[in-house]
Amino acid sequence: MFKSRHQTNEIIDALTKGIAVYETLRTYNGKPFAIEEHYRRLCKSLGYLKINPPTYEEFEKLIYG
């Protein structure tokens, strides 16, 4: 999941310093709703914390498996 040691260090910092972004997805009949809007909001929130967001494709893989 992590592309580099730098990303791993960002995650460790986030966990040990309490820096985090929390995002939920609404589902209808088990299918995620408004994924693109959630992705944009996630990217914006991560930007405030100077954390690199996943690509949209990576985000979709996390959602759909």
Side-chain angles (χ1 to χ4, degrees):
M1 182 168 151
F2 305 114
K3 292 181 182 177
S4 69
R5 185 159 184 76
H6 178 72
Q7 275 188 309
T8 303
N9 289 338
E10 286 178 345
I11 297 299
I12 291 170
D13 282 347
L15 292 172
T16 59
K17 295 178 182 175
I19 301 168
V21 171
Y22 183 79
E23 180 70 29
T24 61
L25 287 169
R26 171 80 177 174
T27 60
Y28 290 100
N29 297 319
K31 296 181 182 179
F33 177 73
I35 295 174
E36 290 181 21
E37 290 83 354
H38 284 284
Y39 178 72
R40 284 194 296 269
R41 186 170 50 237
L42 175 67
C43 290
K44 185 176 179 180
S45 297
L46 289 171
Y48 291 132
L49 300 176
K50 296 183 175 33
I51 298 173
N52 294 327
T55 65
Y56 185 75
E57 291 78 21
E58 292 169 329
F59 182 69
E60 281 188 311
K61 279 185 183 179
L62 291 171
I63 301 296
Y64 294 111

